[in-house]
Amino acid sequence: MISKELILNQNVKYRWENNNTILLNTLLPMNRLAGIILDLFNKNSFSEDEIINIVVSKYNNISKEIIKNDIKNFLHKLIALRILIYKDNEYDTECSDIGMNPNFSKFLKKIYNNTLSAPTRVSCKITSLCNAKCLHCYASKDNNDLTYEEWTKIFDILSDLNVFSVTFTGGDPLCRRDIVKLVDYCSKKQLKTTIVTNGLALNEDLAKELKNAGISAIYQSLDGAHPETHDKFRQVEGLFNKVLDNIELLEKENINTAILTTINKLNLTEIEEIVDLIHSKKIKLLSFMKYITSGNGKLNSYLKPTIYDYKNLIPIIYRKSQEYKDIIILYPDIPVNCYISTVGLDVYNNLKKKGIIGSCSAGISTIAINSDGRIKICDISEDLFIGNILYDDFRNIWLNSPILKRIRGIDKINEYPCSNCNFNNLCISGCRGFDYQLKNNEVEFKSDLDCYECYESIKE
């Protein structure tokens, strides 16, 4: 017999942003009623009738029949969104999986004026150590990694502020000998933890330990459809085959995994093959990322695709996404004209609606912590820091940093050349953490370099 008791989906986290709204870890804002209901479900289970009667009792000045009907409809909405699930389905992945709110950037601006009480996700560069020499790497080489105890203090701060998740970056996070302990600590602090790795240091024993420690997902990089392409880009012979072996290993250990592919001059002709390869390996998430001209990426800028390269790739990626409906393919954060001039405005708007085109969240819902504890707007911000989380008031920096405040107020109409572009009301493209955008602790209203290229191509 199927239980009719409802519980809060174990994958759902939420926090009160103010007295009237809550924010879920899917970046979906909801009203006070949702907060009241979810607070009741915190560590408890109820039938539909039980929860309706409890909530109705809190509203004495409204017709009970009207409020009962409203609450019942709202409860069904929470069930449809998989925020609440039936107790018998608690460990059913298909029932408990939740997706991100595709329109989060619009909601964050409209409801919260781009100022949340805390980040939703923090990128933590837990080490500068790395076992590869990637041609595009934008991570600084600091060689002053924090100790385990110092990182736990940081995770305490983030947990106390109700940050939902952390992403371990580097260097390569798996180069830290205490990586399992760090994941375990975050799990105990209710911080959903993802690792981004080149995969070289992963093995069966480590995968088992990370699984037991509570790792949420492991993302690997794969930048070519053939060994010679990927291994050249990452400067490690044999890494391509290692990544493919790791995919099977992670599947065996039932660890969520995804592939990150940086589009560059070496793999432009292999994008279609990469999608085919990923599909053959039964990977469910493939993220195409644009080439970042920071760090090594700036030194090796010859690898950066042109705006015309991106225009040639978008139809290919779109066609493959239609062919393989069982893969979520995330599109690169590139200007709107790359889409409109190739697959059309309707397709672009539909991709935006689904939330599968990359957009910048730096300083709005995310922030980065360097390997020495210094705070950065984004991983790509190189040597611009706005404090140190171990010595400064992190919450105060998040809410009151002049740089963050200015970033949160920037619109396309404030940036040149986007201010002159006819598509600025449609476009969600553009990074805001590059060194040429940040100067003397202020944000200059300069667009992403890809936006300059796009604007020039439109004029042609």
Side-chain angles (χ1 to χ4, degrees), residues 90-108:
E90 181 175 4
Y91 302 107
D92 186 333
T93 303
E94 186 175 341
C95 293
S96 59
D97 276 355
I98 52 174
M100 297 300 289
N101 171 26
N103 299 305
F104 75 91
S105 57
K106 180 177 71 175
F107 281 115
L108 295 189

Side-chain angles (χ1 to χ4, degrees), residues 407-423:
I407 281 179
R408 291 163 187 163
I410 296 175
D411 284 315
K412 286 291 182 185
I413 58 173
N414 306 128
E415 304 175 35
Y416 180 83
C418 299
S419 54
N420 294 339
C421 179
N422 292 330
F423 302 125

Side-chain angles (χ1 to χ4, degrees), residues 219-432:
Y219 290 0
Q220 292 188 102
S221 300
L222 187 68
D223 303 299
H226 306 284
E228 53 269 29
T229 308
H230 179 76
D231 294 355
K232 180 178 180 180
F233 192 62
R234 297 281 165 177
Q235 296 286 284
V236 178
E237 187 176 352
L239 186 53
F240 175 86
N241 289 323
K242 174 64 174 167
V243 170
L244 296 187
D245 290 342
N246 287 343
I247 291 173
E248 296 180 10
L249 171 61
L250 293 170
E251 182 181 14
K252 176 184 174 183
E253 297 301 327
N254 198 28
I255 296 175
N256 292 326
T257 187
I259 291 296
L260 311 177
T261 297
T262 299
I263 300 171
N264 64 87
K265 286 285 190 180
L266 299 180
N267 65 16
L268 287 176
T269 61
E270 299 180 16
I271 297 302
E272 187 166 0
E273 290 180 275
I274 290 173
V275 181
D276 290 336
L277 177 60
I278 295 309
H279 182 260
S280 72
K281 294 296 181 180
K282 300 180 181 179
I283 293 290
K284 298 302 181 185
L285 178 63
L286 169 61
S287 179
F288 283 112
M289 302 183 298
K290 71 177 183 181
Y291 187 92
I292 299 294
T293 50
S294 182
N296 284 355
K298 188 187 296 183
L299 296 175
N300 297 311
S301 58
Y302 68 92
L303 291 170
K304 184 183 184 301
T306 67
I307 208 71
Y308 301 100
D309 291 327
Y310 285 127
K311 286 183 178 183
N312 289 333
L313 289 180
I314 292 302
I316 296 173
I317 297 174
Y318 180 69
R319 176 165 49 80
K320 299 305 289 187
S321 71
Q322 298 305 296
E323 180 180 349
Y324 298 132
K325 297 289 189 178
D326 54 342
I327 304 178
I328 297 174
I329 298 180
L330 303 183
Y331 289 71
D333 172 14
I334 54 178
V336 60
N337 191 48
C338 294
Y339 293 89
I340 293 178
S341 63
T342 56
V343 292
L345 178 59
D346 288 344
V347 169
Y348 177 73
N349 284 333
N350 189 44
L351 296 176
K352 278 202 306 182
K353 186 177 180 181
K354 291 180 178 178
I356 54 177
I357 297 180
S359 61
C360 183
S361 60
I364 297 174
S365 61
T366 63
I367 204 161
I369 306 296
N370 201 47
S371 58
D372 57 4
R374 286 183 293 174
I375 304 164
K376 304 171 73 172
I377 295 165
C378 176
D379 291 319
I380 68 170
S381 298
E382 297 196 77
D383 295 325
L384 186 129
F385 302 95
I386 55 176
N388 191 306
I389 192 169
L390 289 174
Y391 308 113
D392 301 314
D393 185 335
F394 180 65
R395 183 174 184 275
N396 181 57
I397 289 174
W398 174 257
L399 293 176
N400 299 310
S401 162
I403 289 180
L404 295 181
K405 282 186 173 183
R406 293 199 69 189
I407 281 179
R408 291 163 187 163
I410 296 175
D411 284 315
K412 286 291 182 185
I413 58 173
N414 306 128
E415 304 175 35
Y416 180 83
C418 299
S419 54
N420 294 339
C421 179
N422 292 330
F423 302 125
N424 61 28
N425 62 324
L426 300 172
C427 190
I428 59 172
S429 168
C431 294
R432 289 173 178 166

